[in-house]
Amino acid sequence: MSTAIEEKIEGKEHFHGSDLEKIEKYFGIPKEQITGFGANVNPLGISPLMREGLAAHLDVLTSYPDPEYTALREHIASYAGCRPEQVLVGNGCTELISLFVGIHRPKRALIVSPTYSEYEREVRLAGGEVRYYALREELDFCMDTDDFCRALQDGTDICILCNPNNPTSTATDPDAMRRILTCCRKHGIFLMVDETYAEFAPEGTSVSSAGLLPEFDNFAILRGISKFFAAPGLRLGYAMTSDLSLTGRIREQMNPWSINSLAELAGSYMFRDWDYIHRTRELISSERERIYRELLTWKHVKVYRPYANFILVRILKEGVTSYDVFLHAIRRGLMLRDCSTFLGMEDETFFRFCFMRPEDNDRLLDCLRELLG
């Protein structure tokens, strides 16, 4: 164990999944030597079709993008299963969260937790009050739809949930979502569904709410390309909603050309690289099931059935915390996510890691086995 890491055990510092530069500075480990199990990014890297297309057409930088992003929205609609006029593009999913919250200016928001902290931040920046609906560990963090619908009350302006959820990797199926949307419509609530991880769902398991767009106009689905398409640097996100007046109002408030020419061009390749899309789903599905089955046999951990490209683990071994696990892994150049910063997980018994290539996953399992196996 390096002296730098040994010295950090006393004073705990928490890191998000993409904090490789911070890890490098804090522990003295070159970021190139760290395998990131905390960022939840596709281990196959970017789409080969996109790589070739961008390399061959770099001169696109000499032109402004189409301000309407007509071709890009058509590619997204074809890929996601909606109509082009239902698609709104933005500078990453983060901008879209801000735009949808900002346009509603909610006085009261209900957020399903534990989850991504950016939702609360945007609601509070818009002057709203936040209530949380906590997924229960005794239900394996699965949604109790009837109970959740009882929590949807008059006076709530917006409800936000991540599906599959981060960090639990649990999912709400379309039938349950239909019931939730019906209840939201009854109470005048707009539902925002973050589907950042929906494309990783097991083959034959539908978790996306895109098929509900023809039935409901009181919700929006948000997605980005940072995770599934491994392209966080392009800053491209998209939303889908049947409320075309809402998309029109948001477009009026957006800065022009918020998506650059490279990101616009990239979309014309990545969303039709079906070989890459299928290889990604096959890899994640295979490793997800293998690792889940393996961890079920360990007596010192509890795992929850995952639907995204990561898995949540609870430590059952006395005297071992999530920060201990984090340190044990980072000593070996393996970075996972200590979940103690998530609401409801402050007891330091939860950690999360994403699925990488089999050989990398085996290294992490061997590392965890030393402490928890």
Side-chain angles (χ1 to χ4, degrees), residues 4 121 263 368:
R121 177 179 177 273
L368 295 176

Side-chain angles (χ1 to χ4, degrees), residues 164-165 169-171 197-198 200-202 284 288 306-311 355:
N165 187 45
S169 202
T170 51
Y197 301 102
F200 289 109
I284 297 302
R288 174 172 47 221
Y307 286 83
N309 64 326
F310 54 86
I311 190 167
F355 308 118

